[in-house]
Amino acid sequence: MKDFAVVGSGIGGSSIAALLDAKGYNVALFEKASSLGGCSSSFSHKGYTYNTGATTLAGYEDGYIVKEIFDAIGFVPEVIKTDPSIVVIQNSKITPRYRDFERFFETLNANYPHAKNREFWELVYGLNKEFYKYSGHYYTNANIFAKVKSLISFLPLSLRFQKYLRVDAYSFIDDYFGAIDEEYLQFLEAQILIVAQAPAKEINFLTAALSLGYTFNENHYAVGGFSQIFEDMTKNIKDVYKKSEIVKIAKHEEYFELHTKKKIFRAKKIILNSTVYESAKLFSDIKIKNYYKKYEKLDNHQSSFMLYMTIKSSKEFHHHYQIIEKSLFPHAISQAFFVSFSDVSDTKIAPKGHYSITASLHTDSRFWENSQTYKAQKKELEGILQNTILQKLDINESEVLECFSATSKTFEHYINRMQLGGNAITMKNFLPFLPANDTSIKNLYNVGDTVYAAQGWPGVMLGVKNLQRLLGA
Ligand SMILES: Cc1cc2nc3c(=O)[nH]c(=O)nc-3n(C[C@H](O)[C@H](O)[C@H](O)COP(=O)(O)OP(=O)(O)OC[C@H]3O[C@@H](n4cnc5c(N)ncnc54)[C@H](O)[C@@H]3O)c2cc1C
């Protein structure tokens, strides 16, 4: 009998499993796919390796959450610092998001001049630095009394930032700048969307400021592709089961029974890293089913269209670009997309002289449900994104060795999820309406980007820390 069974090896599942293992608990980690990491994994195709979704690692620096958890596990990842974190290309404007404020600001202000620019970006910079200094808050859903007590722990944070929490980011920016031209607004919107996973109109200004400010923190590139991080982080766990989907979980008085298609395992406690929208179907217990079903309405269907490419080129590229176009892409909900290149020295992911490229564009999972039009839509968008990358980054067609794409359906097939934006914290959807890392069911826990706190490495890791606290581990 295991102390803990962790279902899913995404950022949340792998981190909590490695943390509990380091603390001496007997842990088993189950993963449906053949590689670890979920949305933040990597995979091989026709001899080349690609990052599946996530390509940037933020929050790995002293005083920040990812470093704190990695240190607690006793794990040092093989990473390279990236600066600029992103190079934003919008029409003829190129804006590198350098970590150093003045270095970034100089180009920003030349590209998008505005009298209020310095004041605005200093506010973003300051809020970003200050926010991460707050600690001591936690969030539980075990019962109403515990929940209210946990909400009180957010009081210092809410009081300090109330001015920015009460107002939506779009109105705040509009008021702040007075008049702002459409191109600059799109520049801001595009960067907010990739971090907050929601448009500026739907989120508070604090969330927007943290999204715009994340490039002022250290950002890292994972050497060898992201799955390598997960392999290394979980290497001490004795029982890591890949290609092992948990298809059913039965609750007994003192333990849970987990069923793969071939075997049955027992554990005293369960941590689910599957999305809260998908977890109900694992159970026949009505109370548990209903617990998860009530969160299915939070699914906003936000998803990603992916383009993967291998090129052979002697040119030099930055690690990450955001390309902003004038109008929405077809079958998409954004006019901007993110393009990441492997490091020129990283021969673990691409042979010398080659680059592995992962590009992602926001879409809605429901756009990919029509089996009649699916193939044609995929081909059309694949062609548009490929041409845009070649043109904007001056790559020759003859340099492209491989190019293929993936949709929400592909993610569903490999990792059981079509919604890929996590549970965005919006003006309508915030604590106390969000699911927590614990549940009202004894010994059943959640971790990942559809429960507290947010998406991406820093967001999911805040949830890992919260869960560690709730487990008293
Ligand atoms: C295209 C894209 C780009 C992104 N870029 C970045 C970025 O650059 N930087 C960043 O920080 N974040 C990025 N994100 C966000 C980040 O990747 C996610 O928020 C994060 O990886 C989610 O982690 P998670 O813990 O929720 O687990 P998930 O990634 O959802 O993984 C869950 C795992 O559980 C497994 N699983 C599910 N059900 C079962 C079952 N029944 N049995 C066994 N296994 C199961 C799945 O196969 C999967 O591996 C990006 C996301 C996407 C989609």
Side-chain angles (χ1 to χ4, degrees):
M1 169 98 68
K2 292 284 170 192
D3 295 325
F4 288 94
V6 181
V7 180
S9 72
I11 295 173
S14 292
S15 305
I16 193 70
L19 194 57
L20 292 169
D21 177 76
K23 301 243 171 224
Y25 292 95
N26 191 355
V27 182
L29 176 62
F30 297 91
E31 171 51 52
K32 176 185 175 181
S34 53
S35 52
L36 304 180
C39 295
S40 189
S41 61
S42 39
F43 66 96
S44 292
H45 179 82
K46 296 192 182 168
Y48 297 116
T49 305
Y50 306 90
N51 280 318
T52 307
T55 50
T56 66
L57 173 61
Y60 183 66
E61 61 186 302
D62 285 334
Y64 287 80
I65 185 67
V66 178
K67 176 91 167 38
E68 185 183 332
I69 301 286
F70 282 1
D71 285 352
I73 295 169
F75 166 59
V76 181
E78 194 183 349
V79 291
I80 296 170
K81 269 187 199 160
T82 54
D83 193 19
S85 301
I86 323 172
V87 174
V88 185
I89 303 176
Q90 184 179 27
N91 307 319
S92 59
K93 296 179 170 136
I94 299 178
T95 315
R97 299 278 339 243
Y98 289 113
R99 193 166 171 235
D100 179 80
F101 183 89
E102 293 301 336
R103 199 172 174 205
F104 151 70
F105 186 76
E106 196 185 332
T107 335
L108 177 279
N109 203 36
N111 281 342
Y112 307 95
H114 197 289
K116 286 289 202 81
N117 263 344
R118 178 166 285 278
E119 202 183 301
F120 177 80
W121 283 97
E122 280 180 355
L123 175 66
V124 166
Y125 186 87
L127 287 173
N128 190 61
K129 285 276 169 266
E130 194 183 347
F131 178 81
Y132 292 103
K133 294 208 174 90
Y134 278 77
S135 60
H137 44 278
Y138 69 102
Y139 181 51
T140 167
N141 225 354
N143 60 63
I144 187 69
F145 299 108
K147 182 168 183 159
V148 170
K149 204 169 150 208
S150 74
L151 290 171
I152 293 170
S153 73
F154 284 88
L155 221 53
L157 201 119
S158 320
L159 287 174
R160 164 61 188 100
F161 297 112
Q162 56 173 315
K163 190 168 148 193
Y164 310 111
L165 290 168
R166 281 196 312 248
V167 55
D168 76 83
Y170 184 87
S171 310
F172 187 93
I173 290 169
D174 200 42
D175 278 359
Y176 206 95
F177 284 104
I180 177 168
D181 74 51
E182 196 54 30
E183 195 182 37
Y184 192 13
L185 196 59
Q186 283 165 8
F187 171 87
L188 297 173
E189 280 269 17
Q191 277 162 92
I192 289 171
L193 184 65
I194 50 169
V195 182
Q197 300 296 327
K201 274 195 175 113
E202 291 179 17
I203 61 172
N204 64 56
F205 181 68
L206 179 66
T207 308
L210 299 178
S211 308
L212 290 171
Y214 95 97
T215 50
F216 297 129
N217 295 330
E218 278 185 14
N219 278 276
H220 289 91
Y221 165 91
V223 176
F226 261 109
S227 278
Q228 195 56 51
I229 293 226
F230 293 88
E231 288 295 334
D232 296 343
M233 177 165 49
T234 59
K235 71 172 187 296
N236 293 331
I237 305 176
K238 229 172 74 233
D239 296 314
V240 176
Y241 301 99
K242 292 179 193 166
K243 292 193 196 165
S244 297
E245 180 178 13
I246 299 298
V247 288
K248 188 176 117 182
I249 302 175
K251 187 180 180 322
H252 294 270
E253 196 52 34
E254 294 302 326
Y255 64 92
F256 291 88
E257 220 173 58
L258 295 97
H259 296 237
T260 65
K261 278 183 191 133
K262 292 187 190 141
K263 268 178 102 171
I264 298 176
F265 298 83
R266 283 181 178 181
K268 291 179 202 155
K269 297 182 182 180
I270 302 250
I271 300 172
L272 296 182
N273 189 211
S274 42
T275 69
V276 284
Y277 324 125
E278 304 288 342
S279 294
K281 64 177 178 232
L282 292 172
F283 298 91
S284 47
D285 183 296
I286 290 298
K287 193 175 160 207
I288 305 181
K289 253 192 181 326
N290 288 342
Y291 180 83
Y292 284 110
K293 278 199 168 298
K294 76 173 180 238
Y295 290 118
E296 284 174 6
K297 64 175 183 297
L298 296 177
D299 183 352
N300 62 2
H301 307 280
Q302 192 158 295
S303 198
S304 300
F305 180 86
M306 307 298 305
L307 187 82
Y308 304 104
M309 265 204 266
T310 294
I311 60 164
K312 191 168 184 209
S313 172
S314 55
K315 293 187 194 107
E316 288 200 5
F317 296 95
H318 289 286
H319 289 107
H320 309 288
Y321 297 88
Q322 185 179 43
I323 299 175
I324 308 174
E325 292 287 74
K326 287 203 169 73
S327 53
L328 279 184
F329 287 96
H331 324 298
I333 56 168
S334 178
Q335 58 195 77
F337 69 109
F338 202 77
V339 190
S340 296
F341 284 72
S342 57
D343 189 89
V344 68
S345 68
D346 186 0
T347 48
K348 285 186 187 166
I349 191 166
K352 197 167 183 295
H354 294 60
Y355 289 94
S356 161
I357 301 173
T358 293
S360 60
L361 167 69
H362 283 92
T363 182
D364 185 308
S365 59
R366 290 166 296 193
F367 295 172
W368 302 94
E369 275 168 358
N370 186 338
S371 55
Q372 310 276 307
T373 56
Y374 179 86
K375 266 193 178 163
Q377 282 176 223
K378 190 166 178 282
K379 198 157 181 257
E380 181 190 5
L381 198 45
E382 190 179 305
I384 293 172
L385 292 192
Q386 183 186 358
N387 286 339
T388 312
I389 294 172
L390 299 193
Q391 191 210 333
K392 297 279 177 187
L393 300 176
D394 192 23
I395 299 169
N396 245 313
E397 214 175 331
S398 60
E399 294 175 306
V400 179
L401 303 183
E402 264 303 324
C403 183
F404 59 101
S405 61
T407 71
S408 320
K409 284 272 177 212
T410 325
F411 278 92
E412 184 186 34
H413 175 73
Y414 287 104
I415 65 163
N416 281 0
R417 67 182 285 184
M418 287 183 90
Q419 199 276 6
L420 298 170
N423 210 338
I425 300 171
T426 64
M427 298 294 285
K428 281 195 198 143
N429 181 21
F430 58 97
L431 298 180
F433 307 112
L434 297 180
N437 300 107
D438 58 359
T439 67
S440 52
I441 294 105
K442 196 176 152 207
N443 295 335
L444 178 62
Y445 301 88
N446 307 299
V447 73
D449 66 9
T450 59
V451 293
Y452 179 84
Q455 54 281 330
W457 277 94
V460 176
M461 285 300 213
L462 283 171
V464 171
K465 185 176 172 180
N466 192 54
L467 177 54
Q468 182 193 5
R469 177 184 176 139
L470 299 177
L471 291 169

